[in-house]
Amino acid sequence: MESYLLGEDLRDVVDLNNTTSPNYEQGNADAFKRWKQLNAKVEFVLKRSISHGLFDHIMRCNSAHEIWQTLGRLFNKKDEARL
């Protein structure tokens, strides 16, 4: 999935430096609209690529970054059972 996001130039949407939308202001409307479009695209890709059973874990997430973080916590656990 990360490869796809990199290939489509969407990786920045889920990175820590681009997790919140720009404030909607008169002069910042274009940046806000662009962020919303990219976030929606990444959300769609992430939601379509996971199984129905995993959807329960992400259905309350409000952004692509939250979905990415939730999936990361699910699959990158470092406990004894996983090791």
Side-chain angles (χ1 to χ4, degrees):
M1 179 54 59
E2 190 169 356
S3 302
Y4 177 81
L5 294 177
L6 282 170
E8 295 293 319
D9 199 24
L10 297 170
R11 182 68 168 97
D12 289 341
V13 177
V14 295
D15 280 339
L16 290 175
N17 61 351
N18 198 13
T19 58
T20 58
S21 66
N23 292 329
Y24 181 78
E25 298 169 355
Q26 187 74 15
N28 207 19
D30 290 337
F32 180 74
K33 181 179 178 182
R34 176 81 173 137
W35 182 87
K36 280 181 58 173
Q37 289 173 337
L38 290 175
N39 186 68
K41 186 174 182 178
V42 174
E43 276 190 53
F44 175 78
V45 168
L46 291 173
K47 287 177 180 177
R48 295 294 295 169
S49 65
I50 64 170
S51 67
H52 184 60
L54 288 175
F55 191 76
D56 292 338
H57 294 282
I58 64 163
M59 62 189 230
R60 290 186 181 90
C61 295
N62 295 321
S63 69
H65 175 71
E66 285 184 50
I67 294 170
W68 190 257
Q69 294 299 327
T70 301
L71 292 174
R73 283 191 301 273
L74 286 171
F75 291 106
N76 294 326
K77 292 182 179 178
K78 303 280 192 238
D79 59 9
E80 290 182 32
R82 277 272 217 219
L83 295 175

